[in-house]
Amino acid sequence: MPPRGSDDDGDASIAVKTRTRTQRPPLYKVLLLNDDYTPMEFVVHVLERFFGMTHAQAFEIMLTVHKKGVAVVGVFSHEIAETKVGQVMDFARRHQHPLQCTMEKE
């Protein structure tokens, strides 16, 4: 009988434990872009409705978009960011506003 821990060739076998680490999915920033036509009140409404912001938070973000031309309105997984962008764009089109919403990898 071969010694314990060896195979038939006489080589010692070593038990190796490997631990796989799952990576977090990449996150995406959802950006709202300024235009000269969409009313500020509409932008505030979009932020409250689709991003769950309070009126004060939405107003602050709207001012950032207005002054700087763009603002990050949230950071999400790819699927959620894509859904938010689609919802905002559809809602803006239905109300005949040229509001633009995009996403980019963080």
Side-chain angles (χ1 to χ4, degrees), residues 25 54 63 106:
T54 65
L63 285 178
E106 188 173 43

mmCIF file with all atom_site columns, all heavy atoms in Angstrom, residues 25 54 63 106:
data_model
loop_
_atom_site.group_PDB
_atom_site.id
_atom_site.type_symbol
_atom_site.label_atom_id
_atom_site.label_alt_id
_atom_site.label_comp_id
_atom_site.label_asym_id
_atom_site.label_entity_id
_atom_site.label_seq_id
_atom_site.pdbx_PDB_ins_code
_atom_site.Cartn_x
_atom_site.Cartn_y
_atom_site.Cartn_z
_atom_site.occupancy
_atom_site.B_iso_or_equiv
_atom_site.pdbx_formal_charge
_atom_site.auth_seq_id
_atom_site.auth_comp_id
_atom_site.auth_asym_id
_atom_site.auth_atom_id
_atom_site.pdbx_PDB_model_num
ATOM 1  N N   . PRO A 1 25  ? -19.968 44.364 -10.231 1.00 0.00 ? 25  PRO A N   1
ATOM 2  C CA  . PRO A 1 25  ? -20.175 44.814 -11.605 1.00 0.00 ? 25  PRO A CA  1
ATOM 3  C C   . PRO A 1 25  ? -19.773 46.282 -11.740 1.00 0.00 ? 25  PRO A C   1
ATOM 4  O O   . PRO A 1 25  ? -19.866 47.045 -10.768 1.00 0.00 ? 25  PRO A O   1
ATOM 5  C CB  . PRO A 1 25  ? -21.684 44.640 -11.822 1.00 0.00 ? 25  PRO A CB  1
ATOM 6  C CG  . PRO A 1 25  ? -22.272 44.596 -10.459 1.00 0.00 ? 25  PRO A CG  1
ATOM 7  C CD  . PRO A 1 25  ? -21.210 44.055 -9.542  1.00 0.00 ? 25  PRO A CD  1
ATOM 8  N N   . THR A 1 54  ? -35.631 64.633 -3.428  1.00 0.00 ? 54  THR A N   1
ATOM 9  C CA  . THR A 1 54  ? -36.543 65.606 -2.843  1.00 0.00 ? 54  THR A CA  1
ATOM 10 C C   . THR A 1 54  ? -36.569 66.824 -3.761  1.00 0.00 ? 54  THR A C   1
ATOM 11 O O   . THR A 1 54  ? -35.718 66.978 -4.643  1.00 0.00 ? 54  THR A O   1
ATOM 12 C CB  . THR A 1 54  ? -36.072 66.055 -1.445  1.00 0.00 ? 54  THR A CB  1
ATOM 13 O OG1 . THR A 1 54  ? -34.836 66.765 -1.590  1.00 0.00 ? 54  THR A OG1 1
ATOM 14 C CG2 . THR A 1 54  ? -35.907 64.870 -0.500  1.00 0.00 ? 54  THR A CG2 1
ATOM 15 N N   . LEU A 1 63  ? -29.931 73.230 -11.100 1.00 0.00 ? 63  LEU A N   1
ATOM 16 C CA  . LEU A 1 63  ? -29.080 74.426 -11.206 1.00 0.00 ? 63  LEU A CA  1
ATOM 17 C C   . LEU A 1 63  ? -27.671 74.063 -11.674 1.00 0.00 ? 63  LEU A C   1
ATOM 18 O O   . LEU A 1 63  ? -27.069 74.801 -12.453 1.00 0.00 ? 63  LEU A O   1
ATOM 19 C CB  . LEU A 1 63  ? -29.021 75.169 -9.871  1.00 0.00 ? 63  LEU A CB  1
ATOM 20 C CG  . LEU A 1 63  ? -30.273 75.968 -9.501  1.00 0.00 ? 63  LEU A CG  1
ATOM 21 C CD1 . LEU A 1 63  ? -30.088 76.625 -8.131  1.00 0.00 ? 63  LEU A CD1 1
ATOM 22 C CD2 . LEU A 1 63  ? -30.597 77.020 -10.552 1.00 0.00 ? 63  LEU A CD2 1
ATOM 23 N N   . GLU A 1 106 ? -18.190 54.553 -14.896 1.00 0.00 ? 106 GLU A N   1
ATOM 24 C CA  . GLU A 1 106 ? -17.551 55.325 -13.831 1.00 0.00 ? 106 GLU A CA  1
ATOM 25 C C   . GLU A 1 106 ? -16.073 55.053 -13.768 1.00 0.00 ? 106 GLU A C   1
ATOM 26 O O   . GLU A 1 106 ? -15.577 54.008 -14.044 1.00 0.00 ? 106 GLU A O   1
ATOM 27 C CB  . GLU A 1 106 ? -18.205 54.991 -12.490 1.00 0.00 ? 106 GLU A CB  1
ATOM 28 C CG  . GLU A 1 106 ? -17.722 55.893 -11.387 1.00 0.00 ? 106 GLU A CG  1
ATOM 29 C CD  . GLU A 1 106 ? -18.482 55.686 -10.102 1.00 0.00 ? 106 GLU A CD  1
ATOM 30 O OE1 . GLU A 1 106 ? -18.729 54.538 -9.728  1.00 0.00 ? 106 GLU A OE1 1
ATOM 31 O OE2 . GLU A 1 106 ? -18.848 56.688 -9.487  1.00 0.00 ? 106 GLU A OE2 1
#
